[in-house]
Amino acid sequence: MENITLGQTKNRFQISSGKYVAGKEKILEIGCGVGTDAITFAKYGAIVTATDISSISIAHAKRFAKDSGVGHNITFVVADSQRLNEYLEPQEFDIIYACGTLHHLPD
């Protein structure tokens, strides 16, 4: 698997389609919404922690993940992306993924 370093940009669809997920990577998704990309990562064998500030989105994401058969590979957390340390235990991730979230942050 190719290493992706800070400053490099990979196409969202390449990453979320599994091109950069070989299996068993630990992925943190920030701003998962209803879980579409988290579910795709899990289908490729990744262990995913998916966060979103919306409890409604997380509830839908949990249901979709269960219906997709990958709910056991995803931990969904209602969390403010600016204070993840208050919601998650310190841990390492192979990939940190955030798509469509930056415009929601305050200036």
Side-chain angles (χ1 to χ4, degrees):
M1 183 167 112
E2 176 184 351
N3 287 328
I4 301 173
T5 59
L6 186 64
Q8 289 182 318
T9 302
K10 297 294 178 185
N11 181 297
R12 170 195 183 264
F13 298 103
Q14 289 178 327
I15 295 172
S16 63
S17 70
K19 180 175 180 180
Y20 294 99
V21 179
K24 299 303 178 202
E25 286 87 3
K26 283 186 65 176
I27 299 177
L28 170 63
E29 182 175 3
I30 301 169
C32 70
V34 296
T36 305
D37 292 338
I39 291 167
T40 301
F41 295 142
K43 285 181 178 179
Y44 281 92
I47 306 303
V48 183
T49 300
T51 67
D52 200 279
I53 199 164
S54 169
S55 60
I56 294 170
S57 291
I58 291 291
H60 288 297
K62 286 179 179 180
R63 189 178 81 245
F64 296 147
K66 181 180 176 186
D67 292 348
S68 297
V70 293
H72 60 284
N73 282 357
I74 307 172
T75 301
F76 289 103
V77 181
V78 177
D80 180 340
S81 64
Q82 296 181 83
R83 299 185 346 244
L84 289 177
N85 61 316
E86 295 177 20
Y87 302 91
L88 302 175
E89 293 294 322
Q91 57 193 293
E92 292 184 11
F93 292 95
D94 300 304
I95 297 172
I96 298 175
Y97 177 81
C99 182
T101 58
L102 293 180
H103 64 279
H104 292 287
L105 300 175
D107 295 334

